[in-house]
Amino acid sequence: SSGGVLHDDAHHAEDPNAYLKLSFAMAAHEGSVRCLSISSAPASSAVQHGGSKAAVNGEHGDNDDNDDDDKQSSISRKKRRRRRKHHGDNIDNEDGDEAKTNDSKQIPGTLLSGGYDESINVFNLIRHVQAGELRSAADLGTPTCSSFAPPPSSPSPATHALVGMSSGKIVLYKKRDWSVQHVLSGHDGEHGGVNCLSVHPSGRMALSGGRGDGKIILWDLMRGRLAFVHKIPPPAGSRGRRKTTVTDLAWSDDGLRYAFATDGGKVTARDVDTGEDLLDVMLPSRANQIAFIGGAEGLFLAAACDDGSLPVLAVGSLSDEKEEVGARRAVMAIEPVDGPVAGDARFKCLNNIEGGSGFLVVTANSGGVISIIDLEG
């Protein structure tokens, strides 16, 4: 929030059956919170650290009686690490035993926040306590975006965290001890640095989009190096004087497609293997965030736009041979606001929600309204 206070859930409604309730809040930053990311954890970790199975269901356990259990868990982890024959710096080798855990039920585990005060705070969402504070080097600037690797959609718990900086660099932290594993350079820092990040479902690679440098970069997180740079042409009419800003990036759940949006209103989805454009449209307004949705009916891309609109775009082939005659490729789920300025109706945030029909999204607008919308049909 603008006051630098983090809330673990939405405001506690008076209705006892309300879906969202305030869990805890604490002051995190001096000034505005600029970015937030949450990693998942196996539900069993709530039992181990929370003191009872009630913690899995959202109830608070007594942590004071679990010091001995924590010590035993720490000793067990150390023994497992000593038994490993190979210790590398690759992202797959960090917390290897934990990463192989495939708990059928995942819960929020760690929250990372970055603020304009140049600090990065880490919170344990199981214990409801602050787990640490990171201070980046002065030449890296302020944190602008963040993401965990693997992402929350993965069945494996996160082992690393990526934080994009206003200097154009990306810092890759080891989640185990929050030490810096790599500092990745690729974006220009002149216009604001890294604007968005999206980690592949496997956790092995990530995409980053620049602010005002026209670049989308694919990073090899296994080796900690740049793998590919895609340069987006300057906006029409700029005559090359102004470079494009990538407003958001997204991977499909299967990792076979990715999409990006620009400040000029362009939304593109591509096939990872072939590089083919599966969707390439110019919207009337800038898309602030995008998200893949869909199910048996097909794959779609929802866009939260600055004019208050919420278009849903079909992600398919642009080939005439594969396109069905008369097929509708887009629908406006929410129409844009009449008038030159959308004001409080501007959509600022959009995320898909796992489970259900596959068409559920959560949105937030400039007026502070958070909505859960079913876009099926």
Side-chain angles (χ1 to χ4, degrees):
S1 69
S2 60
V5 178
L6 296 181
H7 298 267
D8 186 35
D9 254 321
H11 183 71
H12 190 334
E14 293 182 0
D15 181 3
N17 297 317
Y19 179 73
L20 296 177
K21 297 179 181 179
L22 178 66
S23 180
F24 77 100
M26 64 177 67
H29 299 279
E30 296 179 3
S32 298
V33 178
R34 196 167 189 183
C35 59
L36 282 174
S37 293
I38 296 178
S39 71
S40 60
S44 57
S45 61
V47 178
Q48 294 171 2
H49 299 296
S52 68
K53 293 183 179 180
V56 178
N57 298 320
E59 301 175 21
H60 298 276
D62 185 1
N63 295 326
D64 295 335
D65 296 332
N66 290 284
D67 291 340
D68 292 338
D69 292 340
D70 292 341
K71 291 178 182 178
Q72 291 297 325
S73 298
S74 177
I75 292 172
S76 298
R77 286 194 296 270
K78 290 178 180 179
K79 288 182 178 178
R80 289 197 299 268
R81 293 190 189 109
R82 285 197 296 267
R83 286 197 299 265
R84 292 174 193 161
K85 296 180 180 180
H86 177 71
H87 294 270
D89 284 336
N90 292 342
I91 193 168
D92 260 10
N93 293 329
E94 296 300 328
D95 293 334
D97 291 333
E98 289 81 359
K100 292 177 183 177
T101 301
N102 189 359
D103 197 309
S104 59
K105 183 176 182 180
Q106 298 286 323
I107 60 172
T110 302
L111 183 148
L112 181 148
S113 68
Y116 280 95
D117 56 2
E118 299 187 359
S119 69
I120 300 170
N121 286 317
V122 182
F123 299 87
N124 186 318
L125 297 181
I126 298 173
R127 291 175 175 265
H128 291 183
V129 296
Q130 184 169 354
E133 180 177 355
L134 310 174
R135 285 283 178 177
S136 57
D139 61 336
L140 294 179
T142 61
T144 57
C145 52
S146 59
S147 183
F148 281 98
S153 57
S154 170
S156 301
T159 60
H160 290 69
L162 288 81
V163 180
M165 312 297 289
S166 60
S167 62
K169 293 180 171 59
I170 298 172
V171 184
L172 180 63
Y173 291 97
K174 298 178 183 178
K175 185 172 174 286
R176 182 178 59 195
D177 56 8
W178 295 104
S179 61
V180 175
Q181 180 163 330
H182 294 293
V183 177
L184 309 174
S185 301
H187 289 285
D188 302 337
E190 181 180 355
H191 301 290
V194 187
N195 196 54
C196 51
L197 285 167
S198 185
V199 177
H200 189 268
S202 68
R204 296 169 179 257
M205 54 186 173
L207 289 169
S208 63
R211 180 185 294 272
D213 67 1
K215 295 179 184 177
I216 294 176
I217 299 179
L218 176 66
W219 300 98
D220 182 348
L221 299 182
M222 296 287 293
R223 297 177 175 83
R225 64 181 63 172
L226 185 150
F228 181 77
V229 179
H230 171 65
K231 294 185 177 180
I232 304 172
S238 67
R239 298 180 181 179
R241 292 190 297 268
R242 184 176 71 87
K243 294 183 179 180
T244 299
T245 290
V246 181
T247 57
D248 198 25
L249 294 156
W251 290 95
S252 61
D253 287 341
D254 57 11
L256 300 179
R257 306 166 185 85
Y258 72 91
F260 64 90
T262 72
D263 58 343
K266 185 176 182 181
V267 175
T268 303
R270 286 185 176 150
D271 183 284
V272 172
D273 292 332
T274 66
E276 176 190 8
D277 281 348
L278 306 176
L279 172 71
D280 191 29
V281 299
M282 186 67 71
L283 299 176
S285 176
R286 177 183 70 203
N288 291 315
Q289 283 197 330
I290 54 177
F292 280 101
I293 57 174
E297 297 84 358
L299 191 64
F300 301 86
L301 199 65
C305 295
D306 219 39
D307 62 359
S309 64
L310 184 60
V312 178
L313 312 166
V315 178
S317 173
L318 299 182
S319 170
D320 292 334
E321 291 81 13
K322 298 179 181 179
E323 185 74 15
E324 294 182 14
V325 177
R328 184 170 58 175
R329 293 190 56 84
V331 62
M332 195 67 74
I334 297 179
E335 295 289 339
V337 175
D338 293 332
V341 180
D344 288 349
R346 290 179 298 171
F347 282 114
K348 304 298 291 184
C349 305
L350 171 75
N351 268 303
N352 57 6
I353 300 176
E354 294 184 32
S357 66
F359 289 87
L360 290 176
V361 297
V362 57
T363 66
N365 65 16
S366 296
V369 177
I370 299 174
S371 305
I372 296 177
I373 305 172
D374 187 352
L375 296 173
E376 187 174 16

